[in-house]
Amino acid sequence: MNLSYPLLITSLLQHPIANNPDQEIIYHTTRLTYTQFYARVCQLANTLTRMGVKHGDTVAVMDYDSNRYLECYFAVPMIGAVLHTINVRLSPEQILYTIDHAEDDVILVHHDFLPILEQIRGRIDTAKHFILLSETGEIPPTSVEITGEYEALLAQEATTHTFPSFDENTRATTFYTTGTTGMPKGVYFSHRQLVLHTLTVTATMGSASAQSFHQNDVYMPITPMFHVHAWGFPYIATFMGVKQVYPGKYVPDTLVELLVKEKVTFSHCVPTILHMLAQTTAYQEADLSHWKVVIGGATLPKAMCLAALEKGIDIFTGYGMSETCPILTLAQLTPQMLTQPLDAQATLRAKTGRPIGLVDIKIVDEQMEEIPNHTPGELVVRAPWLTEAYFKDTKNSEALWAGGYLHTGDVAYKDEEGFLKITDRSKDIIKIGGEWVSSLELEDIIMQHSEVKEVAVIGIDDARWGERPLALVVPKSQTNEKLEKELMHHTKEYIKKGVMAREGMLVKIVFLESIAKTSVGKIDKKTLRALHQ
Amino acid sequence: MNLSYPLLITSLLQHPIANNPDQEIIYHTTRLTYTQFYARVCQLANTLTRMGVKHGDTVAVMDYDSNRYLECYFAVPMIGAVLHTINVRLSPEQILYTIDHAEDDVILVHHDFLPILEQIRGRIDTAKHFILLSETGEIPPTSVEITGEYEALLAQEATTHTFPSFDENTRATTFYTTGTTGMPKGVYFSHRQLVLHTLTVTATMGSASAQSFHQNDVYMPITPMFHVHAWGFPYIATFMGVKQVYPGKYVPDTLVELLVKEKVTFSHCVPTILHMLAQTTAYQEADLSHWKVVIGGATLPKAMCLAALEKGIDIFTGYGMSETCPILTLAQLTPQMLTQPLDAQATLRAKTGRPIGLVDIKIVDEQMEEIPNHTPGELVVRAPWLTEAYFKDTKNSEALWAGGYLHTGDVAYKDEEGFLKITDRSKDIIKIGGEWVSSLELEDIIMQHSEVKEVAVIGIDDARWGERPLALVVPKSQTNEKLEKELMHHTKEYIKKGVMAREGMLVKIVFLESIAKTSVGKIDKKTLRALHQ
């Protein structure tokens, strides 16, 4: 009798538009009300429909964080098309691969990224239209066949659109994740998944006693919107009807200026970005004591966490990955934890945190059996918003979902408070006898010696132990022989203190002039393992 | 590849049990931690399974608000059975009807309600087991064949249970709604619906800037748990992991004592209950300035609202009905509204409020066309948690869902802030010419005359106007003739002030010694219309 009510992106929008018509969405000098924003979402839907975009077609975006990107977040899936958020930091060849693989029909491109498309233009087979995202309204001379400029196209369209209803399992978004090797892998998310991610993160963060995100906040992303839906927060912020600030191209001084000027209270970023901000005079002088920031994408260093806390910033870790929409855990503190000194809080806030609602996380051994607290194991997960598979890639999809849980590839342990701590990527863990030793932890320890410039630890085959750690060290100046002895002693001290397992003593040291890196600057452990086995 | 993740009641429980193991659930002298509560949920699941309860069977409960009722809220649906929350205030014959109609397999009954079952015992055909909910552990002499006492049965069982996974559209709960006439009608809700209701209310209330419900609150229901899942709040409170207090049988002094002693910060009740509490000395002396209370089930009188505000209580309206799980709207104030004087706030807080997330409400005319703000019309609704139909009742189900929206049967208008105000039940509205006049508003006006003891207004057929209002008045003492003149004058004053539409002037007055009531004490307008047409 009851017409089914599918969970669609469209259903997230009705409530905030009705309840917060005058709330603002800001980008440079553009200040839109939610009412105006919704009119533009309708205009974009009309523009795309006029271009022939149909249910199941793919619309790609290459832009900075902007209100226009947010309009795409809604309008594209709301007409039943798939939003492909292109990672503009990939190489042109990789971008071409993702455009082909995702079968993009329309590409919206900011003029700053035109040179990328110009470079690969002759080889894009699927795209029928290119829409220019211009800051000036001008279309610059280009070899890319631009159908029209975004604002001009929207201006021609009606400000209403009747959005269709369809199956909630329809694909809404897709994007590509890059490992240290191989071509990018496509992940994708349905309307149902994005709605459930939005509702559950809002419920968990909104109702939290600390590290919350609520209707009085002012939101500004400092994570690119091509990066896992900017961690889902643009959907969450819109659903709550809060004031939103989109910062465009990331310029540290401008970002800090926006934080202050627009009274931003909630953001998220990777540690590197926070480090960049912290270097600016503007940051050092700013009062950021009303600012909450979720750190993800990489481990939050405790020292960085403590420095931010001392500045009055409510900083804490969030954890997830491209395959998981992304949010799985948050390091939200209990009222009791909040009474602890900042140093102790920094330790907790730099942990991976606790699962949010509906997230089923297990730490398992190789037989997928759950293992006790404080013992590291692989972190596997189920939740209603995990990618169903890698797009058109059965083999990797089967490995991802082996045993009915999504394999994060991260190694973690759980403490008695239920806080998770990721210690390593599972492929970088060293299995010594029955014990798992974290290569990252050994690297941390060795790096703390003042004469070490760079270090990478990998596992090498060992007849007796199965594996033992090999430390590849770039020294600053000392002779290798002296340094080797010192480092062995240095490591033993940490073992004595109980910081490192006894198996760490088995470390073997090799000195190098440099360590192999990947194209994005990460230590290339795969190559190192091949070279030093 | 991804095993589907169904939205099950089970999935609501994992997160709070893991994150709040030591949080308390309180009933009389029983104080359970969440860990103990979960163990008891498992024991109850084992007890029911041992009795032969299978997927799709129905388990009914007759109890006061208790931790045991909460255990049933979870364990029964989590094993795939349907929880029937019996309205113990119905007549024994009506209760028998609902037990038969719902096909209850097992009935859990508090010893206070044994006399009801004794009265109908010979005629219950479906129930195979009766479990006694005792306060003492004793089984009193009774003609009902008790299988066992709840605590004794649980004590025999293991404290773990592997809960199955199944289709999220499986029925989880059912209960019966009574109109002023006819037999009770069964409504029912699936796991998916209850999970989405829980997530969305938590998201909307948790993230709210005012009139919120969050993880630091202490929760106590003052709405019976048989009444529309106590408005869904036991699920919400458990999902958030808050301290919960279950008050047992409602005794005004005890309720106030619990509010104070357990530092309760969040409750919900009907206006009548708040009125009862307010009569007690305990209430008058208590500091309730940290107490938030949602009022629903009937219109919150402005005077009651203002008195509570003046006592420092954060009081506001929630709206829904048995058919809607129930929550549809909340009168949550914006930061701006909160700066208004209490009197103005009371007007807003006594309104029906604004739709919560995912709720699509329209105010329509008889052709289901939306009508402008400030004009009353029928309130129709879609949301992901509305009953699919009346159980085994095609005719009423079709009327409920005519035109693809659920018909609330309420007449309301919307103001420019998006706040709804319910003015009447649609069957009690009087249609004079083209104008809709609220019988409730006319009753309110007439009631304000000091010589009126009781009043009911109904519509009667009128050759010229279609309908005109007839006021049935029970006077205090004055002669009818004098009072009639005074009341006509009194009504005109309100028309002059713009409070009542000009059509109110057409009111005709008849004096009676008493006004017909239904079994639950509501004015029986159906009978009145039949008598006075």
Side-chain angles (χ1 to χ4, degrees):
Chain A
M1 208 62 65
N2 174 353
L3 291 182
S4 79
Y5 185 111
L7 300 176
L8 300 180
I9 301 284
T10 310
S11 51
L12 292 178
L13 210 46
Q14 183 173 15
H15 167 248
I17 303 294
N19 287 1
N20 309 276
D22 302 324
Q23 185 65 274
E24 281 186 311
I25 296 172
I26 297 156
Y27 172 65
H28 295 330
T29 55
T30 303
R31 301 186 86 93
L32 302 170
T33 65
Y34 271 48
T35 305
Q36 291 168 325
F37 168 74
Y38 183 67
R40 288 170 59 89
V41 167
C42 291
Q43 286 175 311
L44 177 55
N46 290 329
T47 302
L48 295 172
T49 305
R50 188 181 299 273
M51 283 182 182
V53 175
K54 301 177 307 298
H55 188 96
D57 285 355
T58 302
V59 177
V61 179
M62 301 174 74
D63 194 11
Y64 302 115
D65 291 4
S66 70
N67 68 295
R68 296 193 282 224
Y69 217 139
L70 189 68
E71 285 148 20
C72 294
Y73 264 46
F74 285 92
V76 174
M78 281 164 68
I79 61 172
V82 182
L83 174 72
H84 174 196
T85 53
I86 292 179
N87 181 346
V88 294
R89 294 196 192 141
L90 296 180
S91 71
E93 287 303 319
Q94 284 179 312
I95 289 176
L96 175 62
Y97 173 84
T98 67
I99 289 172
D100 270 357
H101 194 266
E103 302 169 28
D104 294 343
D105 297 288
V106 174
I107 300 176
L108 292 89
V109 57
H110 188 277
H111 57 58
D112 281 4
F113 304 119
L114 267 181
I116 298 174
L117 288 189
E118 284 164 0
Q119 206 174 327
I120 57 177
R121 175 65 193 103
R123 292 181 286 152
I124 300 176
D125 295 328
T126 56
K128 292 172 273 296
H129 290 284
F130 294 87
I131 298 175
L132 185 75
L133 302 164
S134 164
E135 301 295 345
T136 59
E138 303 288 307
I139 302 182
T142 173
S143 58
V144 179
E145 293 153 34
I146 302 292
T147 304
E149 189 271 330
Y150 187 89
E151 297 297 333
L153 288 170
L154 261 60
Q156 296 168 20
E157 299 293 339
T159 55
T160 57
H161 184 95
T162 305
F163 290 100
S165 185
F166 42 78
D167 187 329
E168 67 188 25
N169 295 308
T170 301
R171 253 194 325 145
T173 62
T174 189
F175 52 88
Y176 286 76
T177 171
T178 49
T180 46
T181 56
M183 290 310 278
K185 295 199 286 288
V187 295
Y188 53 97
F189 300 92
S190 68
H191 283 256
R192 172 186 163 105
Q193 291 180 316
L194 286 163
V195 169
L196 289 173
H197 185 267
T198 303
L199 290 177
T200 310
V201 177
T202 308
T204 302
M205 298 201 77
S207 68
S209 48
Q211 291 79 56
S212 67
F213 185 23
H214 54 67
Q215 292 171 28
N216 276 0
D217 276 316
V218 176
Y219 167 66
M220 183 173 95
I222 322 183
T223 305
M225 292 176 81
F226 62 73
H227 188 225
V228 208
H229 320 111
W231 305 353
F233 285 110
Y235 286 120
I236 295 160
T238 307
F239 179 62
M240 289 202 296
V242 304
K243 175 175 159 182
Q244 303 183 51
V245 183
Y246 287 86
K249 188 176 178 175
Y250 291 174
V251 181
D253 280 310
T254 312
L255 290 170
V256 176
E257 198 180 295
L258 279 172
L259 289 179
V260 174
K261 184 180 151 220
E262 299 295 348
K263 300 185 170 60
V264 172
T265 60
F266 188 88
S267 296
H268 46 82
C269 64
V270 295
T272 325
I273 289 275
L274 184 59
H275 182 73
M276 273 170 48
L277 297 185
Q279 302 302 307
T280 65
T281 315
Y283 178 95
Q284 286 148 21
E285 289 172 356
D287 173 7
L288 294 175
S289 62
H290 300 292
W291 193 44
K292 294 172 281 190
V293 63
V294 186
I295 302 293
T299 306
L300 167 60
K302 190 185 159 184
M304 179 185 279
C305 184
L306 188 57
L309 285 177
E310 281 165 352
K311 198 173 161 62
I313 296 170
D314 192 354
I315 185 173
F316 60 108
T317 296
Y319 166 67
M321 50 201 287
S322 296
E323 288 82 349
T324 65
C325 197
I327 301 178
L328 297 175
T329 73
L330 292 168
Q332 289 176 312
L333 273 54
T334 62
Q336 205 180 7
M337 292 173 182
L338 285 169
T339 64
Q340 296 183 18
L342 291 189
D343 190 79
Q345 281 192 34
T347 304
L348 286 164
R349 289 165 182 264
K351 287 194 173 188
T352 312
R354 303 201 284 194
I356 65 166
L358 307 191
V359 170
D360 171 16
I361 276 188
K362 293 205 290 191
I363 294 178
V364 297
D365 62 19
E366 283 161 349
Q367 284 73 48
M368 286 287 282
E369 294 294 323
E370 273 197 89
I371 54 183
N373 282 354
H374 295 287
T375 311
E378 197 196 352
L379 203 155
V380 298
V381 62
R382 294 184 67 227
W385 48 78
L386 312 183
T387 192
E388 202 181 301
Y390 291 117
F391 192 45
K392 302 193 275 194
D393 181 348
T394 311
K395 193 173 151 242
N396 281 314
S397 301
E398 278 169 1
L400 183 69
W401 279 100
Y405 274 74
L406 184 143
H407 291 254
T408 63
D410 285 322
V411 172
Y413 67 85
K414 192 163 36 172
D415 66 19
E416 54 286 333
E417 312 268 34
F419 270 63
L420 298 164
K421 173 76 182 172
I422 289 177
T423 57
D424 215 338
R425 294 288 298 164
S426 64
K427 61 180 184 300
D428 296 336
I429 208 82
I430 306 165
K431 293 169 189 168
I432 308 173
E435 202 68 29
W436 288 15
V437 169
S438 162
S439 63
L440 293 186
E441 278 177 18
L442 255 175
E443 286 166 7
D444 266 358
I445 287 169
I446 294 170
M447 196 65 197
Q448 284 177 42
H449 190 283
S450 58
E451 283 299 317
V452 174
K453 193 174 164 195
E454 222 176 339
V455 61
V457 174
I458 57 171
I460 50 167
D461 291 342
D462 184 273
R464 181 162 172 204
W465 298 100
E467 278 191 314
R468 62 181 290 194
L470 171 68
L472 305 163
V473 173
V474 181
K476 279 188 181 157
S477 60
Q478 273 188 326
T479 62
N480 293 354
E481 210 168 322
K482 183 170 172 241
L483 185 54
E484 180 165 6
K485 273 185 198 159
E486 281 187 23
L487 286 178
M488 294 307 286
H489 178 76
H490 176 81
T491 307
K492 272 184 202 163
E493 289 301 305
Y494 280 83
I495 293 167
K496 275 190 202 159
K497 280 190 259 172
V499 173
M500 167 55 54
R502 292 180 57 82
E503 286 75 6
M505 210 127 78
L506 294 166
V507 69
K508 196 182 141 189
I509 296 170
V510 166
F511 293 97
L512 299 174
E513 285 184 11
S514 68
I515 289 174
K517 304 269 168 50
T518 68
S519 60
V520 291
K522 289 186 183 176
I523 291 176
D524 187 352
K525 292 210 173 172
K526 188 160 176 168
T527 299
L528 294 178
R529 273 190 289 265
L531 286 172
H532 297 277
Q533 215 34 275
Chain B
M1 207 62 65
N2 174 354
L3 292 181
S4 79
Y5 184 111
L7 301 176
L8 300 180
I9 302 284
T10 310
S11 52
L12 291 179
L13 210 45
Q14 183 172 15
H15 166 250
I17 303 294
N19 287 0
N20 309 275
D22 303 324
Q23 187 63 277
E24 283 186 312
I25 297 171
I26 297 155
Y27 172 65
H28 294 330
T29 56
T30 302
R31 300 184 87 92
L32 302 170
T33 65
Y34 271 48
T35 304
Q36 292 169 324
F37 168 74
Y38 183 67
R40 288 170 59 88
V41 167
C42 291
Q43 288 177 310
L44 177 55
N46 290 327
T47 302
L48 294 173
T49 305
R50 188 181 299 274
M51 282 181 182
V53 174
K54 300 178 309 297
H55 187 96
D57 284 354
T58 301
V59 177
V61 179
M62 300 173 75
D63 194 11
Y64 301 117
D65 290 4
S66 70
N67 67 296
R68 298 193 281 225
Y69 216 139
L70 189 68
E71 286 149 20
C72 294
Y73 265 47
F74 284 92
V76 174
M78 281 163 68
I79 61 171
V82 183
L83 174 71
H84 174 196
T85 53
I86 292 180
N87 181 346
V88 294
R89 294 195 193 143
L90 296 181
S91 70
E93 288 303 318
Q94 284 178 313
I95 288 177
L96 175 64
Y97 173 83
T98 68
I99 290 172
D100 270 356
H101 194 266
E103 303 170 25
D104 294 342
D105 297 288
V106 173
I107 299 176
L108 292 89
V109 56
H110 188 278
H111 58 58
D112 281 6
F113 304 119
L114 268 181
I116 298 174
L117 288 190
E118 285 164 0
Q119 206 174 327
I120 57 178
R121 174 65 193 103
R123 292 180 286 151
I124 300 176
D125 296 327
T126 57
K128 292 172 273 298
H129 290 285
F130 294 87
I131 298 176
L132 184 75
L133 302 164
S134 164
E135 301 296 344
T136 60
E138 305 288 307
I139 302 182
T142 172
S143 58
V144 179
E145 294 154 33
I146 302 293
T147 303
E149 188 272 329
Y150 187 89
E151 296 297 333
L153 289 170
L154 260 61
Q156 296 167 20
E157 298 293 339
T159 55
T160 58
H161 184 94
T162 305
F163 291 99
S165 184
F166 42 77
D167 186 330
E168 68 188 25
N169 295 308
T170 301
R171 254 195 323 146
T173 62
T174 188
F175 52 88
Y176 286 76
T177 171
T178 49
T180 45
T181 56
M183 288 312 275
K185 294 199 286 286
V187 296
Y188 54 97
F189 300 92
S190 69
H191 284 256
R192 172 186 163 104
Q193 291 180 317
L194 286 164
V195 169
L196 289 173
H197 184 267
T198 303
L199 289 177
T200 310
V201 177
T202 307
T204 302
M205 296 200 78
S207 68
S209 48
Q211 291 79 54
S212 66
F213 185 22
H214 54 68
Q215 292 171 28
N216 277 359
D217 276 315
V218 176
Y219 168 66
M220 182 172 97
I222 322 183
T223 305
M225 291 176 80
F226 63 71
H227 187 226
V228 209
H229 321 111
W231 305 353
F233 284 111
Y235 286 120
I236 295 160
T238 306
F239 179 63
M240 289 202 295
V242 304
K243 175 175 160 182
Q244 304 183 50
V245 183
Y246 287 85
K249 187 175 178 177
Y250 291 173
V251 181
D253 280 310
T254 311
L255 290 170
V256 176
E257 199 180 293
L258 279 172
L259 289 179
V260 175
K261 184 179 151 221
E262 300 295 349
K263 299 187 171 58
V264 173
T265 61
F266 188 88
S267 297
H268 45 81
C269 64
V270 295
T272 324
I273 289 274
L274 184 61
H275 182 73
M276 273 169 50
L277 298 186
Q279 301 302 305
T280 64
T281 315
Y283 177 96
Q284 285 148 21
E285 289 171 357
D287 173 7
L288 294 175
S289 61
H290 300 291
W291 193 44
K292 296 172 278 189
V293 61
V294 186
I295 302 292
T299 305
L300 168 60
K302 190 185 159 183
M304 179 185 280
C305 184
L306 187 57
L309 285 177
E310 282 165 351
K311 197 172 161 63
I313 297 170
D314 193 354
I315 185 173
F316 60 109
T317 296
Y319 166 68
M321 50 202 285
S322 296
E323 288 81 349
T324 66
C325 197
I327 301 179
L328 297 175
T329 73
L330 292 168
Q332 288 175 314
L333 272 54
T334 63
Q336 204 180 8
M337 291 173 181
L338 286 168
T339 63
Q340 295 183 18
L342 291 188
D343 190 79
Q345 280 193 36
T347 303
L348 286 163
R349 288 165 181 263
K351 285 194 174 187
T352 313
R354 302 201 285 193
I356 66 166
L358 307 190
V359 171
D360 170 17
I361 277 188
K362 294 205 290 190
I363 294 178
V364 297
D365 62 20
E366 282 161 348
Q367 284 72 48
M368 284 286 282
E369 294 295 323
E370 273 197 88
I371 54 183
N373 282 354
H374 296 286
T375 311
E378 197 196 353
L379 202 154
V380 297
V381 62
R382 293 186 66 226
W385 49 77
L386 312 183
T387 193
E388 202 179 300
Y390 292 116
F391 192 46
K392 301 192 275 193
D393 181 348
T394 311
K395 192 172 153 244
N396 281 314
S397 301
E398 278 170 1
L400 182 69
W401 278 101
Y405 275 72
L406 183 144
H407 291 254
T408 63
D410 285 322
V411 172
Y413 66 87
K414 191 161 40 170
D415 66 20
E416 56 285 334
E417 312 269 29
F419 270 63
L420 297 163
K421 174 77 184 172
I422 289 178
T423 56
D424 214 337
R425 294 288 298 165
S426 62
K427 62 179 185 299
D428 296 335
I429 209 81
I430 305 165
K431 293 168 188 168
I432 308 172
E435 202 66 31
W436 287 15
V437 170
S438 162
S439 62
L440 294 185
E441 279 177 18
L442 255 176
E443 286 166 8
D444 266 357
I445 288 168
I446 294 170
M447 196 63 195
Q448 284 177 44
H449 190 283
S450 59
E451 283 298 316
V452 173
K453 191 173 166 196
E454 221 177 341
V455 63
V457 173
I458 56 172
I460 49 167
D461 292 342
D462 184 274
R464 180 158 172 207
W465 298 99
E467 278 191 312
R468 63 181 287 194
L470 170 69
L472 304 163
V473 173
V474 180
K476 281 188 181 156
S477 59
Q478 272 189 329
T479 61
N480 294 354
E481 210 169 323
K482 181 166 172 247
L483 185 54
E484 179 167 5
K485 272 186 200 160
E486 280 188 23
L487 286 177
M488 296 305 290
H489 177 73
H490 176 81
T491 306
K492 272 184 202 163
E493 288 301 304
Y494 281 82
I495 293 168
K496 272 190 206 162
K497 280 190 259 172
V499 173
M500 168 53 55
R502 293 181 58 81
E503 288 74 6
M505 208 128 78
L506 293 166
V507 69
K508 194 182 143 188
I509 295 169
V510 166
F511 294 97
L512 299 173
E513 285 183 10
S514 70
I515 289 174
K517 303 270 168 48
T518 69
S519 59
V520 290
K522 289 186 183 177
I523 290 175
D524 187 352
K525 291 209 174 173
K526 187 160 176 166
T527 300
L528 294 179
R529 274 191 287 265
L531 286 172
H532 296 278
Q533 215 35 274

